[in-house]
Amino acid sequence: MTWATLYMEPNSGRSNWISDLGKYVGLDIESVDVKTVDNYKELFQLGKTPALITSDGFKLTEAVVIYVYIINSSSKPEFLGKNLKEKATNMKWLSFFNSDFIFAFIQAFFGTTDNDKSSGMEKIYNYTEYFNNELKEKKTKYLISDEILVADIVAYKIFHQFSIFGLFYDKYNKIAPYLESLKNHPILAPK
């Protein structure tokens, strides 16, 4: 039985992997391209994606909240972290990637003025340098712990999305090896 229906945009790195997240944590989530739903704004008035409706009619929007709800509803809540510090750090990175990084990306590629676009690119480079420096200081195998957590998956998806738009992180010596170490995780491995 389908646990939930996810409304998403197939090209969005924030949502095109959520069904795979569900599969990984043992929940069946059907993905629907929001562009194929004529009455989407009747379901979700703001028209935002991703959006989730569980089989009992519970509705959620906001990517981070959806990730957390899915994981907490599963038999793998440790994918959010095993203790309070891991959980808090995981949330910090989820928030960072789904807000700061995404907004800079939108500004850089979809800004209305050259100044907006330039400012967005500057933010992207600053955030990428910050992330690289954080990886240098880590005493764990992955971003938060010695186990891959959901924030690692989001980081991978965000950097992959950036590379599609021609943004590369080659000059940041910690990012490429970190992303390489994630690519075989069941959520990310080619199907």
Side-chain angles (χ1 to χ4, degrees):
M1 178 180 157
T2 300
W3 179 77
T5 301
L6 173 75
Y7 297 90
M8 56 84 165
E9 296 182 26
N11 293 325
S12 171
R14 294 175 62 204
S15 62
N16 62 9
W17 60 277
I18 295 176
S19 289
D20 293 327
L21 168 64
K23 200 176 300 173
Y24 176 71
V25 299
L27 300 173
D28 184 23
I29 300 174
E30 176 188 358
S31 287
V32 175
D33 181 344
V34 71
K35 293 178 187 108
T36 67
V37 181
D38 293 332
N39 67 335
Y40 188 67
K41 284 206 170 191
E42 291 173 26
L43 294 170
F44 294 96
Q45 183 178 357
L46 296 177
K48 295 172 69 171
T49 63
L52 186 85
I53 301 178
T54 62
S55 59
D56 65 0
F58 181 63
K59 293 181 179 182
L60 278 178
T61 57
E62 306 303 328
V64 172
V65 175
I66 291 171
Y67 309 151
V68 170
Y69 185 73
I70 290 169
I71 295 166
N72 278 328
S73 297
S74 78
S75 61
K76 292 186 181 182
E78 68 277 3
F79 199 47
L80 290 170
K82 292 181 181 172
N83 59 53
L84 193 55
K85 287 182 181 178
E86 284 186 3
K87 289 176 184 176
T89 306
N90 196 37
M91 289 302 297
K92 169 190 130 176
W93 287 111
L94 287 173
S95 178
F96 175 73
F97 281 112
N98 276 290
S99 60
D100 298 323
F101 243 106
I102 291 296
F103 292 133
F105 174 79
I106 290 167
Q107 185 179 13
F109 287 94
F110 303 103
T112 55
T113 68
D114 288 343
N115 200 25
D116 282 346
K117 292 177 182 182
S118 176
S119 175
M121 287 304 294
E122 184 177 329
K123 288 176 189 172
I124 288 171
Y125 291 125
N126 286 339
Y127 295 154
T128 303
E129 185 171 336
Y130 164 71
F131 184 63
N132 191 68
N133 289 339
E134 287 287 307
L135 290 173
K136 283 179 189 175
E137 295 176 18
K138 291 292 164 203
K139 293 176 176 58
T140 56
K141 184 174 180 180
Y142 299 104
L143 185 56
I144 299 145
S145 76
D146 288 332
E147 303 293 324
I148 295 173
L149 300 182
V150 68
D152 294 297
I153 303 300
V154 171
Y156 183 95
K157 294 300 281 183
I158 295 297
F159 278 102
H160 178 72
Q161 189 88 35
F162 282 9
S163 67
I164 291 170
F165 278 78
L167 294 174
F168 298 101
Y169 37 84
D170 300 356
K171 74 176 191 172
Y172 304 99
N173 64 341
K174 293 295 182 182
I175 294 175
Y178 163 73
L179 297 175
E180 183 70 19
S181 74
L182 300 173
K183 74 177 188 179
N184 290 321
H185 188 275
I187 293 174
L188 301 171
K191 306 318 178 247

